[in-house]
């Protein structure tokens, strides 16, 4: 069998030299964003990181091999129209390796691979969580349990508003995941700035880095979730949001959507139903998170040099 994890030289060199590195997931562009914009977004956020002095490490699975630091060509391949690519959480990685498939890694798988490669900051759009109706379906994203035992910093726009947000926060508490709002005590809801839930806040990237260092000092192994709200001008009108989400949920129930197909189905339905408005917001959320992740990555390496 081939190597268990392939880390590109530009990533391992940056990690070894204590240069700032930010990990990026691939499910967001293989299963979250609609084509062809997905590839533009994936490459644009990498460039934004480079422009701010950070090495981007996009993570995905190529021919079954978990790869940290995808090349532009590999990103274009995974994100191409009609290219066979599977959505992979942590537990899917061994099956993907045995079968040699190509995959987009979710937050859970990306966090694992980033941590293994020595990367401590990761930016995504919106974390997975407890789905509405989970009391009967048991549908809770593997992202939550993964973050309980991977000591990295994840910057996300809160959790996706398609979820049961209060239940997700309860589970994060149980799992010991450290949750802070970025310059806000209002926990963001991905497409909207305010989910209605309250969390602790940090006032700067430096303070987020200090939280991560304090965690390490205590020997805790959980992630720090930095919840960064989308800019006010980019959020979806909450009324429109609730209406299209209700439609998307009806459509998902009608189509019998379950398991890992559910989140991509709901996002895609909302992107279409709003003629791309939620897609624009999704991209804005992601860009904002990448900017904050870059600042935290800088703040974290300062003391190590
Ligand atoms: N953020 C986005 N779009 C996405 C995702 C995050 O803006 O598509 C992905 C992440 O990969 C996350 C996954 O881990 O959605 C959650 O899927 P599920 O609910 O099936 O665990
Ligand atoms: Mn699920």
């Amino acid at each position: 069998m081939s190597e268990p994890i392939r880390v590109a030289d530009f990533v391992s060199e940056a990690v070894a030299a204590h240069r700032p590195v930010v990990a990026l997931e691939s499910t967001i562009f293989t299963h979250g964003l609609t084509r062809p914009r997905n590839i533009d977004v994936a490459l644009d956020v990498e460039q934004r990181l480079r422009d701010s002095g950070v090495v981007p490490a996009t993570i995905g699975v190529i021919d079954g091999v978990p790869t940290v630091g995808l090349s532009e060509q590999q990103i274009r391949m995974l994100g191409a129209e009609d290219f066979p690519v599977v959505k992979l959480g942590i537990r899917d990685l061994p099956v993907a390796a045995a079968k040699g498939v190509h995959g987009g890694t979710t937050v859970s798988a990306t966090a694992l691979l980033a941590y293994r490669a020595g990367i401590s900051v990761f930016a995504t759009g919106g974390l997975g969580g407890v789905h509405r109706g989970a009391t009967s379906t048991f549908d809770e994203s593997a992202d939550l349990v993964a973050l309980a035992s991977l000591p990295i910093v994840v910057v996300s726009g809160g959790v996706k508003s398609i979820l049961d947000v209060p239940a997700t926060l309860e589970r994060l508490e149980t799992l010991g995941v450290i949750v802070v709002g970025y310059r806000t005590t209002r926990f963001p809801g991905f497409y909207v700035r305010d989910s209605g839930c309250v969390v602790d806040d940090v006032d700067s990237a430096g303070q987020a880095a200090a939280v991560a260092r304090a965690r390490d000092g205590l020997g805790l192994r959980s992630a720090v979730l930095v919840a960064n709200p989308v800019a006010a001008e980019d959020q979806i009108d909450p009324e429109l949001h609730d209406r299209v989400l209700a439609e998307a949920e009806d459509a998902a129930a009608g189509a019998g959507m379950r398991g890992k197909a559910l989140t991509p189905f709901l996002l895609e339905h909302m992107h279409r139903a709003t003629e791309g408005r939620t897609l624009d917001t999704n991209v804005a959320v992601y860009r904002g998170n990448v900017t904050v992740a870059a600042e935290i990555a800088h703040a974290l390496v300062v003391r190590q040099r």
Side-chain angles (χ1 to χ4, degrees):
M1 235 168 75
S2 50
E3 70 243 84
I5 300 178
R6 185 178 301 154
V7 182
D9 289 344
F10 67 88
V11 175
S12 48
E13 285 163 15
V15 169
H18 299 300
R19 285 202 295 276
V21 181
V22 168
L24 301 167
E25 60 155 309
S26 41
T27 293
I28 191 168
F29 67 86
T30 60
H31 291 78
L33 303 167
T34 41
R35 287 159 177 67
R37 194 162 169 200
N38 61 334
I39 295 175
D40 294 342
V41 172
L43 296 175
D44 169 75
V45 289
E46 284 209 333
Q47 192 54 46
R48 282 165 188 259
L49 287 171
R50 285 188 205 100
D51 291 346
S52 59
V54 171
V55 174
T58 302
I59 296 178
V61 171
I62 305 286
D63 288 320
V65 182
T67 304
V68 180
L70 295 175
S71 65
E72 175 177 338
Q73 190 204 346
Q74 288 171 325
I75 290 172
R76 288 186 183 281
M77 180 178 87
L78 289 182
E81 189 91 55
D82 297 328
F83 186 76
V85 58
V86 187
K87 176 180 164 188
L88 303 173
I90 285 184
R91 65 105 180 239
D92 305 310
L93 293 174
V95 180
K99 294 191 171 181
V101 301
H102 304 295
T105 49
T106 67
V107 169
S108 71
T110 308
L112 171 79
L113 298 168
Y115 176 67
R116 292 274 190 270
I119 301 170
S120 37
V121 186
F122 164 28
T124 180
L127 190 71
V130 179
H131 280 267
R132 297 172 182 209
T135 45
S136 58
T137 63
F138 279 71
D139 189 352
E140 170 184 319
S141 177
D143 291 355
L144 299 185
V145 172
L147 294 190
S149 61
L150 293 168
I152 58 168
V153 176
V154 180
V155 185
S156 97
V159 297
K160 293 195 195 69
S161 44
I162 58 175
L163 301 167
D164 182 335
V165 179
T168 303
L169 281 170
E170 292 294 347
R171 290 289 291 138
L172 287 166
E173 180 183 8
T174 306
L175 292 163
V177 177
I178 301 149
V179 179
V180 289
Y182 190 71
R183 296 184 172 142
T184 179
T185 56
R186 309 297 303 187
F187 189 65
F190 187 58
Y191 291 135
V192 293
R193 280 177 67 77
D194 183 355
S195 68
C197 299
V198 174
V199 290
D200 285 328
D201 62 332
V202 289
D203 60 16
S204 63
Q207 198 167 55
V211 170
R213 278 193 215 104
R215 169 203 59 194
D216 297 342
L218 289 162
L220 294 174
R221 310 287 298 159
S222 50
V224 176
L225 175 63
V226 177
N228 179 40
V230 69
E233 63 269 26
D234 293 320
Q235 78 166 338
I236 295 289
D237 169 46
E239 219 166 275
L240 172 70
H241 172 272
D242 292 351
R243 184 166 51 77
V244 292
L245 175 55
E247 286 167 15
E249 283 176 325
D250 284 350
M257 279 299 150
R258 296 171 50 199
K260 64 183 179 182
L262 181 61
T263 295
F265 181 92
L266 292 173
L267 295 180
E268 158 85 29
H269 194 283
M270 290 177 76
H271 292 338
R272 266 187 292 114
T274 60
E275 287 165 351
R277 294 259 302 279
T278 58
L279 184 59
D280 290 341
T281 299
N282 196 340
V283 172
V285 170
Y286 191 32
R287 284 189 181 141
N289 295 342
V290 164
T291 302
V292 171
E295 289 172 18
I296 297 173
H298 275 291
L300 273 174
V301 297
V302 169
R303 289 246 198 114
Q304 293 178 26
R305 283 180 208 246

